[in-house]
Amino acid sequence: MKTFNFDEALIALQSDLLGFAYKLTADKHDAEDLLQETMLKALDNKDKFDPGTNFKGWMYIIMRNAFINRDSHLIPSI
């Protein structure tokens, strides 16, 4: 049984994540920034990932949340 390698999985998912980031931002540079932010957050929280769970899903959630949070200060409070 092969053990899970977080760093290899992160690198392998990079192009898929960039595509998702572009769909969210519709801008190449913003997508690259979002990808970088997502990868840094994943590395910072590496110890919180359970290798028995869906890594791709975990990464997409991190990216989605990063996208939502990056512009949340622009949304007026009611």
Side-chain angles (χ1 to χ4, degrees):
M1 183 170 152
K2 186 177 179 188
T3 59
F4 181 78
N5 185 314
F6 188 93
D7 297 332
E8 286 179 8
L10 188 61
I11 291 168
L13 197 55
Q14 188 171 350
S15 64
D16 288 345
L17 287 170
L18 183 59
F20 183 55
Y22 187 75
K23 286 180 183 179
L24 291 171
T25 64
D27 180 84
K28 180 182 182 231
H29 297 291
D30 287 343
E32 291 168 349
D33 289 346
L34 182 57
L35 174 64
Q36 183 176 14
E37 182 180 348
T38 300
M39 295 185 86
L40 287 172
K41 286 182 184 226
L43 289 168
D44 286 344
N45 293 287
K46 184 178 183 175
D47 59 322
K48 296 177 183 170
F49 177 71
D50 178 11
T53 60
N54 183 348
F55 181 72
K56 185 175 182 178
W58 188 72
M59 289 299 301
Y60 274 67
I61 289 170
I62 291 172
M63 179 170 280
R64 183 201 63 201
N65 290 344
F67 173 72
I68 291 168
N69 291 335
R70 74 189 326 211
D71 292 327
S72 64
H73 68 280
L74 300 175
I75 300 170
S77 299
I78 296 176

